[in-house]
Amino acid sequence: IYQEPTLFPDLDIAENIFVGHHPIHPLTRRVAWRQLYEQAAQPLRALGLDLDPHTRVRGLTVAQLQMVEIAKALSVNAQVLIMDEPTSALTLNEVADLFRIARQLRDAGTAIIFISNRLEEVFELADRVTVLRDGHYIGNRDMDEVTHDELIHMMVGRTLDDLFPKLDVEQGDVVLRVEGLTKEGVFEDISFELHQGEILGLAGLVGARRTDVAQAIFGVAPADRGTIWVDGQEVSIRRPTDALDLGIAYVPENRQQHGLILPINITHNVTLPILQEFARVGWLDNRAEAQKAQEITTRLDVRAAGLWQLASELSGGNQQKVVLAKWLITRPRVLILDEPTRGIDVGTKAAVHELMGTLASQGKAILMISSELPEILGMSDRILVMNEGRLVDQFTRDEATQEKIMAAATASSVTASPAQAPPCH
């Protein structure tokens, strides 16, 4: 199971599950379509996934794509199953279902290699752990013989406290203010303020519509109503170029589909938002472009064979650094980070967190969307919680706990409503 979904978007779920091994009718020697859809429903049911096998894959969420990938692997009754970051876009309930299936497969004799950067998952599921760092073998331990801190030290050569290097930054004026932002059927009445030098965490389960709010602010899918202020001035953001002109940048959740152009090199990916700066009488100044790309990628410690290397050839962590470089090169004042450390190694996570702290200390205002509670708790100055398209609660850094955040994120719409949440500014 690949880290990033490798499905055919214009085929339906059943066709993707059985691609390469379709059931064949014994007489006609053609695809047995009825049998295919009946058999495709079995791994979906086993995963507790309420999806019609006839559904076209193109319209699925990232979490649903990942679950279809898992169903695809289950359909071949594999004796060895390699799962590469299979939970990076799943909700807690979906992770629990996946672990239940993994244990069933293990008990039935399937050998599972589970690649993950989420240590709580490793401790919950694994029997043994092998640690690699920078392509080198570090060690192997039985899970009952290693502690959380020891495992982190093996992975990054640093202690737990180093993973969330939050700096105390004096916050300045309100840079971004959102009031009553609403998109019919998606999210409703979103209001908050973001200050200079602040990291504002936006928590919630997958499907809480946090990404939709971010895309509305950035102009990807504008809201139907509501107002946005930048530096105290009401603004109209109908497209991403409007947001960029106002000093707002957005690092999307899915770096491969929305953050990068995979078949082109690092330089062209990084400089894409400011390409006009290198235009000279209709020609591109390649030397100036490469120099600018070199400066920002060196600052972010992008590890590659060279700036000519294609984005598709980079590791997940270095791809994420290139996406960050692409938007930091625009010199934003407001930076929206949507799942900034999804699917990257622990060492790179620490580097991204350190970068966030540095940017906040330089006066950047950061809105961070994350499904990882340790990241939300470790890096946020304030935390907003979304549930079913609404802001339902907020906490200061000192008030917040995992239990409080999860209680708000999982409450039913009957008990969690904007009327019961404190004002978000």
Side-chain angles (χ1 to χ4, degrees):
I1 302 172
Y2 290 86
Q3 179 175 347
E4 301 292 343
T6 56
L7 302 173
F8 294 95
D10 292 316
L11 298 182
D12 62 33
I13 291 174
E15 291 173 299
N16 271 283
I17 289 176
F18 285 99
V19 66
H21 62 109
H22 296 80
I24 303 297
H25 194 284
L27 297 179
T28 64
R29 305 305 300 166
R30 297 188 178 188
V31 175
W33 290 105
R34 179 179 296 179
Q35 183 182 353
L36 180 142
Y37 288 105
E38 290 174 351
Q39 292 182 0
Q42 296 174 8
L44 295 175
R45 282 197 300 267
L47 290 169
L49 198 59
D50 185 22
L51 285 175
D52 184 345
H54 296 82
T55 303
R56 190 71 59 88
V57 161
R58 183 176 295 279
L60 300 182
T61 66
V62 174
Q64 289 171 332
L65 290 173
Q66 190 65 277
M67 296 300 276
V68 172
E69 288 274 20
I70 294 166
K72 179 179 174 182
L74 295 180
S75 72
V76 300
N77 297 317
Q79 291 182 316
V80 177
L81 186 59
I82 303 174
M83 298 182 176
D84 190 358
E85 297 282 357
T87 65
S88 59
L90 303 185
T91 67
L92 293 177
N93 289 335
E94 289 166 338
V95 170
D97 287 336
L98 172 62
F99 283 6
R100 174 179 54 80
I101 295 297
R103 293 187 182 100
Q104 289 177 357
L105 292 171
R106 177 196 61 190
D107 295 342
T110 301
I112 298 175
I113 298 175
F114 186 87
I115 302 171
S116 179
N117 291 301
R118 295 181 173 179
L119 298 190
E120 65 275 11
E121 295 178 353
V122 175
F123 278 96
E124 182 176 349
L125 187 65
D127 300 303
R128 288 186 298 121
V129 61
T130 295
V131 176
L132 304 177
R133 185 170 74 228
D134 296 331
H136 297 284
Y137 170 83
I138 302 300
N140 183 287
R141 298 284 191 279
D142 289 332
M143 293 309 302
D144 56 3
E145 295 178 354
V146 65
T147 67
H148 195 270
D149 287 353
E150 289 172 345
L151 190 56
I152 287 176
H153 194 270
M154 291 173 67
M155 294 173 71
V156 297
R158 286 178 270 189
T159 64
L160 181 61
D161 292 339
D162 294 329
L163 294 183
F164 302 105
K166 182 71 176 70
L167 302 175
D168 291 327
V169 177
E170 184 175 348
Q171 296 175 18
D173 297 333
V174 173
V175 180
L176 175 70
R177 180 157 65 97
V178 172
E179 279 203 6
L181 211 62
T182 298
K183 192 172 182 65
E184 295 297 337
V186 182
F187 57 82
E188 182 179 353
D189 196 24
I190 304 299
S191 301
F192 64 84
E193 291 181 348
L194 178 60
H195 295 256
Q196 185 179 20
E198 180 182 28
I199 300 177
L200 178 61
L202 187 55
L205 302 180
V206 173
R209 302 297 189 176
R210 298 164 300 164
T211 292
D212 296 284
V213 172
Q215 291 183 345
I217 295 171
F218 192 61
V220 176
D224 298 322
R225 61 179 182 271
T227 51
I228 300 174
W229 281 266
V230 175
D231 291 330
Q233 298 293 318
E234 185 175 342
V235 298
S236 175
I237 302 177
R238 308 308 298 173
R239 56 187 63 84
T241 50
D242 295 336
L244 284 172
D245 290 341
L246 293 165
I248 302 173
Y250 171 52
V251 176
E253 174 186 14
N254 192 323
R255 55 180 167 266
Q256 294 208 342
Q257 288 190 16
H258 305 138
L260 297 168
I261 301 177
L262 294 174
I264 67 175
N265 66 31
I266 294 172
T267 295
H268 294 330
N269 268 289
V270 168
T271 59
L272 194 58
I274 60 167
L275 202 58
Q276 69 278 4
E277 292 187 15
F278 309 106
R280 301 289 185 269
V281 199
W283 295 90
L284 194 63
D285 186 339
N286 292 306
R287 180 175 296 179
E289 182 190 19
Q291 182 177 352
K292 194 73 172 180
Q294 184 69 61
E295 291 173 2
I296 190 71
T297 53
T298 299
R299 176 184 167 195
L300 267 63
D301 192 27
V302 176
R303 300 188 181 186
L307 293 181
W308 47 263
Q309 189 169 7
L310 302 184
S312 60
E313 299 172 349
L314 301 176
S315 67
N318 282 299
Q319 285 183 345
Q320 188 70 355
K321 288 181 179 180
V322 171
V323 178
L324 286 165
K326 169 185 171 181
W327 293 112
L328 289 178
I329 206 171
T330 67
R331 299 176 290 277
R333 299 185 59 229
V334 176
L335 185 60
I336 303 173
L337 302 176
D338 194 349
E339 302 288 0
T341 62
R342 183 177 75 85
I344 63 178
D345 63 89
V346 175
T348 306
K349 283 186 179 183
V352 171
H353 293 153
E354 185 175 359
L355 174 65
M356 289 169 59
T358 301
L359 292 172
S361 69
Q362 294 171 351
K364 307 292 186 188
I366 298 175
L367 175 63
M368 178 186 67
I369 300 170
S370 179
S371 299
E372 295 195 25
L373 288 182
E375 182 170 67
I376 284 285
L377 293 167
M379 294 304 300
S380 303
D381 295 297
R382 280 188 304 131
I383 299 166
L384 307 179
V385 184
M386 283 192 68
N387 183 337
E388 299 180 359
R390 295 170 177 241
L391 280 176
V392 294
D393 220 332
Q394 72 164 326
F395 305 97
T396 65
R397 181 177 177 84
D398 294 334
E399 293 171 342
T401 65
Q402 292 199 32
E403 292 75 18
K404 289 180 179 179
I405 293 173
M406 285 306 302
T410 58
S412 68
S413 57
V414 175
T415 59
S417 66
Q420 294 171 303
C424 295
H425 48 76

